[in-house]
Structure formats: structure tokens, C-alpha cells
Amino acid sequence: MRGIAERVEQLLPRAVVSTTPVAGGDICTATRVRLSDGSSALVKTLAGAPENFFATEARGLTWLAEPGVIAVPEVLAVEQDILVLEWVEPGPPSPESAALLGQSLARLHASGADEFGAAEDGFIGSLPLPNRPAPTWPEFFATRRVLPYLKLAFDRGHIRPADVRAIEALIGRIKGLAGPEEPPSRIHGDLWSGNVVWSAEHGALVDPAAHGGHRETDLAMLALFGLPHLQRLLDAYQEETPLADGWEERQPLHQLFPLLVHAALFGGHYGVRAGEATRRL
């Protein structure tokens, strides 16, 4: 792959003044690029990236930005092995910015989606992510989110057979556990704290697994991995669009997906945690 500066100058085109490596996750190389017009961009690169890896991320960001209700960095350019995004100047999270994010997230969810799923499959971390639509959220969540990663975790020896049986039994009664029916929400789909970039004014969403899903999924993932001022975010969300009764008790159901993905990728205690979440339900 040609040098970062040369690629960016070709794609934008704007002269590059400097490049600085920055933190960008476990998969990609991330670089801050300062441009001749005084602006900056974030450049993500991955040698040998799977087909549509960055294109899927770019489409997800554009789709989340479409309603105009939440901060999402603009996609400046994308090719097979490179993604160039608007730079978000980091700042410390505050109760006020968390509240704004909660309100904005509620509005994003309320902007809706055409169906449960997405037109194209995507990625969750380095793993393929099936998105083929399903007629109901319980069916979508069971067949596109839980069962594929349960099988992968078991095949890799990362989850105990007893926990596999417990999760399979839970999936057999998922319709009774899913709560009141809701229309598809426009969700981020991988909303842990590392995919929220805080500026001085707000939190911006990055690196989505965007699709039409259940709004409680985003909130459950924030609760699973933690977020600064999370309670203030939840309070603001509830003020904007109240959640259905029992949403807190349903969080372990929505958390099964990220726990099983982590079990498949990393093993360790994540398979055990998935079993514990199942038993809490």
C-alpha cells in the first residue's frame, strides 16, 4: 500500500501537512492527517481488508447520519483498504454531553428502519455479520445474532456445553422474553464505549454495525461495557422517548450477542458470562 499521505492526497485531493498515528482499535491502523486547509481527517487502513470491509462501515455511518439527529463523522473517502473520515477533536465526556447523546440516540432510534436487518451483510470486529432481514425482531436476533456466534464459540471450545444448552433453550422461548413488539429502530448495532468519540460538545458515533433492530440493543451494550455518565444518558433517553416496561430486566437478552462475539473471538470468561446472562433471564 502506498504511503498514507500520498493516498489521502489522491483521494481528497488536498495536500497533507503531517501524519500522526492514533489509537484506532485492534484491527485497523489509524492515523490523524493534518491537511493544508487547516482541517484534519482520521485515516483507517487495513492491508488485505476483506471485500466491502470499509465500504460497509462507510454505508453504516452515512445511514446513521441521514436523519440529521446525532453526531457522526462525515465519510470523506473510501476504498478497499482505506477509509477517510472527518476528524472529531477529542474532549472529556461530561454529564451535559452524555445527556445530549442520550437525547440524540433516542431520536436516531425513532427515525426508524424499513425492516429488521439490512440489505447487505457486514462485520462485527473481524467476524462476518449476517444481516439478512427477518419478519420479526425475535427471529432476526435469534438467527442472525445469537445462534451463529454461539456455534462459532462452541466450535472453538470457548463456551461450555451446559451454557450452550441453556442459551438454546432460551432462544426457544425468545418471543416471550422480548417484551412488547416495536417497529424496527435505526440502531448503531455495536455501541460499546470505544465506539463513542467524545468531543467538548457531544459524543459522536463511529464504527457501527448499523441495521434495523431493537433500540434496547444499543442501550444494553452501553450498560454491558460501561460509559461515562451512563445514567445521565439513560435519563435523557427516557425523557425523549420512554422505554417499554421491563427494559432493564431484558438487558441480559440483548447482551448475549456481544458476549458471544467476544467468546468466539477471545474465549476467556466471555462464554461463562453468556451463560450467566442466560440464567438471569
Side-chain angles (χ1 to χ4, degrees):
M1 187 174 70
R2 297 190 300 278
I4 296 289
E6 183 182 352
R7 292 290 302 279
V8 171
E9 288 178 340
Q10 180 186 45
L11 289 168
L12 291 186
R14 273 176 267 173
V16 172
V17 175
S18 65
T19 62
T20 306
V22 294
D26 299 326
I27 300 172
C28 301
T29 298
T31 306
R32 179 178 184 174
V33 174
R34 297 182 185 273
L35 302 168
S36 55
D37 62 1
S39 67
S40 291
L42 175 69
V43 182
K44 297 174 68 173
T45 56
L46 179 62
E51 185 177 0
N52 292 323
F53 184 80
F54 284 128
T56 299
E57 181 177 347
R59 282 193 297 270
L61 289 168
T62 301
W63 188 64
L64 295 178
E66 194 174 80
V69 295
I70 200 164
V72 179
E74 181 185 356
V75 176
L76 302 178
V78 61
E79 287 189 344
Q80 173 69 21
D81 58 352
I82 189 169
L83 175 65
V84 185
L85 301 175
E86 172 191 10
W87 176 259
V88 178
E89 187 63 34
S94 66
E96 293 74 22
S97 58
L100 177 59
L101 180 59
Q103 181 187 63
S104 300
L105 190 61
R107 292 174 178 174
L108 175 70
H109 291 166
S111 68
D114 292 335
E115 54 197 349
F116 293 108
E120 298 176 331
D121 292 341
F123 298 88
I124 186 74
S126 60
L127 297 176
L129 181 69
N131 281 327
R132 186 163 52 85
T136 67
W137 180 79
E139 181 180 341
F140 174 82
F141 192 69
T143 61
R144 314 290 190 265
R145 292 296 181 265
V146 175
L147 294 178
Y149 302 99
L150 177 63
K151 181 181 187 303
L152 185 58
F154 179 71
D155 289 346
R156 293 181 174 182
H158 293 173
I159 189 169
R160 300 176 300 192
D163 291 329
V164 172
R165 291 192 295 271
I167 293 169
E168 288 175 338
L170 179 143
I171 290 301
R173 52 192 183 90
I174 188 173
K175 290 183 180 179
L177 296 169
E181 289 187 16
E182 294 194 0
S185 293
R186 187 176 302 233
I187 74 170
H188 179 283
D190 189 16
L191 193 56
W192 69 290
S193 58
N195 286 339
V196 177
V197 179
W198 297 100
S199 71
E201 296 81 24
H202 53 68
L205 305 188
V206 298
D207 202 11
H211 65 282
H214 199 301
R215 60 195 181 124
E216 291 176 14
T217 297
D218 277 349
L219 300 178
M221 193 173 291
L222 287 175
L224 178 64
F225 294 114
L227 187 81
H229 312 293
L230 177 59
Q231 190 57 54
R232 187 67 192 93
L233 179 151
L234 294 172
D235 290 344
Y237 188 105
Q238 289 272 51
E239 291 168 9
E240 180 70 24
T241 310
L243 293 156
D245 290 345
W247 68 273
E248 290 173 299
E249 288 73 23
R250 289 189 292 274
Q251 283 190 344
L253 174 63
H254 294 268
Q255 290 168 351
L256 276 178
F257 165 57
L259 287 172
L260 289 171
V261 169
H262 278 67
L265 286 171
F266 309 119
H269 67 293
Y270 288 109
V272 174
R273 290 186 65 184
E276 291 172 347
T278 300
R279 282 180 267 280
R280 287 203 305 274
L281 290 160

